[in-house]
């Protein structure tokens, strides 16, 4: 995707947060261009690679940064995802998928696979994780010539634009497993159906895997590893962090759009206060979800499910408040509030939010999932 990355010593590089913040303004401008086109955000991803952010959360043996603890890593990732979400939700979504792939390598990859990962990261590769599929799904068939994939993925974020994707595939027997596939074969990608109001630059289309023959190095972990909790469900905190960044970006845009007359109006100030409260409430929940996931807390999945609902509610509230406060100007093409609202409106629909909230409510009815130190029942 890009030329190989030349890496300075880790001690010479600015902190992760600073490196990400340094990209924010450029990503905002690029995001507007990609949204208008719409096209895959190649230059935005190239900027992430040049800042070495594509490697930061890889396994240490693949060149990733060494963190003091799992908690420190989660908090660093939370900052990066929020900042990218503030800048451009499409890029934040792509980066979140990339980090998900790196985590799967860290948890389940062999030494040989980690070594291969290091090499392709040197070349600037970006990854996705694709699990959604039309029926009958992706099948991993055994043939005399070795394994062969049949079927395709739907809502494959970055189809045709990313270098690789980790996909779920169903063997003849047993649970599904993870397979690494090339994601940049444009003849396999069908983006014709991705005609959406928001998140346009993600290129989340269909991708045909039929005929691909994965080598043993391409089979990550054991069957069933991908679906193991608490990691599978608790990992939802990462896309919540990107969505949170979008809400934060919307709050910033709302404040900037308020004229002196509006700031002198107590009704408008009340709206702004409500937007601040909603945004920061979501941030508190996402931070807690990240911390619990980092520790593989058994309650982390239900906490993440509830966090999804909190972020959704906060986002919907801030979108409504911004529209009321700014009025017709908030819906004009090219306005920052319009773009973030369109992106969030789509992104919040990811993976059944109502079902997730219902499952969380069931758990909370049994016990206070907030935690042993501060249970109410």
């Amino acid at each position: 995707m890009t030329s190989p990355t030349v890496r300075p010593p880790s001690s010479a590089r600015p902190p992760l947060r600073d490196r990400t913040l340094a990209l924010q303004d450029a990503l905002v401008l690029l995001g507007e261009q990609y949204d208008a086109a719409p096209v895959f955000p190649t230059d935005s991803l190239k900027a992430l690679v040049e800042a070495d952010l594509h490697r930061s959360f890889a396994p240490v043996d693949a060149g990733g940064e060494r963190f003091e603890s799992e908690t420190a890593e989660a908090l660093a990732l939370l900052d990066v995802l929020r900042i990218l979400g503030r800048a451009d939700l499409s890029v934040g979504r792509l980066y979140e998928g990339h980090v998900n792939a790196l985590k799967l390598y860290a948890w389940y990859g062999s030494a040989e696979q980690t070594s291969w990962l290091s090499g392709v990261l040197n070349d600037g590769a970006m990854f996705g994780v694709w699990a959604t599929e039309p029926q009958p799904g992706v099948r991993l068939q055994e043939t005399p010539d070795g394994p062969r994939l049949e079927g395709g993925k739907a809502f494959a974020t970055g189809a045709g634009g990313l270098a690789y994707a980790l996909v779920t595939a169903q063997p003849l027997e047993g649970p599904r497993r993870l397979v690494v596939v090339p994601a940049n074969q444009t003849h396999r990608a069908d983006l014709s159906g991705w005609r959406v109001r928001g998140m346009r630059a993600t290129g989340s289309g269909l991708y045909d895997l039929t005929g691909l023959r994965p080598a043993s190095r391409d089979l990550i972990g054991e069957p069933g590893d991908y679906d193991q909790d608490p990691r599978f469900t608790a990992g939802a905190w990462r896309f919540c962090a990107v969505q949170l960044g979008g809400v934060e970006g919307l709050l910033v845009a709302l404040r900037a759009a308020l004229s002196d007359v509006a700031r002198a109006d107590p009704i408008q100030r009340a709206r702004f206060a409500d937007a601040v409260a909603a945004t920061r409430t979501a941030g508190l929940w996402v931070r807690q979800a990240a911390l619990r996931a980092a520790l593989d807390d058994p309650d982390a999945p239900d906490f993440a499910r509830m966090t999804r609902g909190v972020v959704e509610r906060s986002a919907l509230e801030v979108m409504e408040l911004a529209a009321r406060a700014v009025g017709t100007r908030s819906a004009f093409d090219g306005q920052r509030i319009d773009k973030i609202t369109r992106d969030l409106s789509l992104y919040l629909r990811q993976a059944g939010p109502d079902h997730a909230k219902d499952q969380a409510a069931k758990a909370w009815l049994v016990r206070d999932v907030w935690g042993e130190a501060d249970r109410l029942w």
Side-chain angles (χ1 to χ4, degrees):
M1 187 183 83
T2 65
S3 57
T5 305
V6 178
R7 307 179 70 211
S10 58
S11 59
R13 283 179 286 163
L16 265 171
R17 177 183 173 83
D18 292 347
R19 271 184 276 155
T20 313
L21 282 170
L23 300 176
Q24 184 170 335
D25 290 345
L27 293 177
V28 169
L29 294 176
L30 287 169
E32 293 171 356
Q33 298 170 23
Y34 291 127
D35 176 67
V39 292
F40 189 73
T42 302
D43 287 343
S44 294
L45 297 191
K46 182 179 179 181
L48 299 184
V49 172
E50 290 175 346
D52 213 29
L53 293 174
H54 74 304
R55 190 201 311 270
S56 298
F57 299 99
V60 172
D61 289 344
E65 302 202 16
R66 190 180 298 276
F67 296 92
E68 293 180 0
S69 64
E70 295 290 338
T71 296
E73 180 180 3
L75 292 177
L77 178 56
L78 172 60
D79 275 345
V80 173
L81 293 174
R82 287 170 59 206
I83 295 165
L84 294 180
R86 277 180 234 154
D88 183 0
L89 281 163
S90 288
V91 169
R93 170 69 187 95
L94 287 160
Y95 185 77
E96 185 262 337
H98 174 71
V99 171
N100 286 351
L102 298 183
K103 296 299 292 182
L104 290 166
Y105 266 98
W107 291 328
Y108 308 121
S110 66
E112 178 192 5
Q113 290 165 337
T114 302
S115 176
W116 175 85
L117 175 65
S118 179
V120 297
L121 290 176
N122 284 340
D123 294 333
M126 294 286 288
F127 285 71
V129 178
W130 300 341
T132 305
E133 56 194 16
Q135 292 299 319
V138 174
R139 300 168 305 285
L140 182 63
Q141 300 178 339
E142 292 295 335
T143 74
D145 297 323
R148 184 178 189 273
L149 292 172
E150 291 283 343
K153 291 296 181 181
F155 299 106
T157 300
L162 297 172
Y164 300 96
L166 272 64
V167 304
T168 51
Q170 180 64 54
L172 182 63
E173 296 181 352
R176 61 182 181 171
R177 69 177 309 166
L178 285 168
V179 184
V180 183
V181 299
N184 57 0
Q185 296 183 0
T186 54
H187 66 281
R188 295 181 177 275
D190 178 4
L191 304 183
S192 61
W194 191 241
R195 299 170 61 86
V196 288
R197 293 187 303 122
M199 304 294 285
R200 295 169 176 170
T202 60
S204 301
L206 299 169
Y207 197 85
D208 183 16
L209 302 170
T210 300
L212 288 176
R213 292 189 174 277
S216 58
R217 185 199 63 202
D218 300 322
L219 304 177
I220 305 296
E222 299 296 326
D225 278 349
Y226 175 72
D227 295 298
Q228 287 184 12
D229 269 334
R231 288 171 175 169
F232 176 73
T233 303
W237 80 263
R238 292 188 286 271
F239 71 73
C240 286
V242 182
Q243 294 170 348
L244 169 63
V247 180
E248 292 172 340
L250 188 56
L251 178 64
V252 171
L254 166 58
R255 178 181 177 274
L258 290 176
S259 65
D260 290 342
V261 173
R263 293 176 182 219
D265 183 342
I267 294 176
Q268 295 287 51
R269 290 198 300 268
R271 286 174 176 152
F272 181 69
D274 287 343
V276 171
T279 302
R280 289 304 188 182
T281 296
L284 292 171
W285 274 81
V286 175
R287 189 178 193 276
Q288 284 295 317
L291 293 174
R292 293 157 199 259
L295 300 175
D296 285 339
D297 187 325
D299 281 337
D302 287 315
F303 201 96
R305 292 185 181 104
M306 187 69 84
T307 299
R308 288 186 58 187
V310 173
V311 172
E312 179 192 25
R313 184 66 262 160
S314 295
L316 293 172
E317 182 176 356
V318 176
M319 285 191 285
E320 175 69 13
L321 289 165
R324 286 182 174 274
V326 179
T328 305
R329 286 184 296 129
S330 68
F332 273 45
D333 188 32
Q335 291 295 313
R336 183 94 175 111
I337 289 176
D338 173 64
K339 181 181 184 300
I340 298 174
T341 298
R342 287 188 289 104
D343 285 345
L344 271 176
S345 295
L346 180 62
Y347 201 177
L348 292 171
R349 297 308 103 215
Q350 179 166 327
D354 293 331
H355 176 71
K357 184 185 292 186
D358 179 57
Q359 295 301 110
K362 288 180 180 178
W364 244 276
L365 283 168
V366 174
R367 65 194 184 287
D368 186 356
V369 181
W370 190 264
E372 191 66 42
D374 191 25
R375 293 193 190 278
L376 298 180
W377 59 88

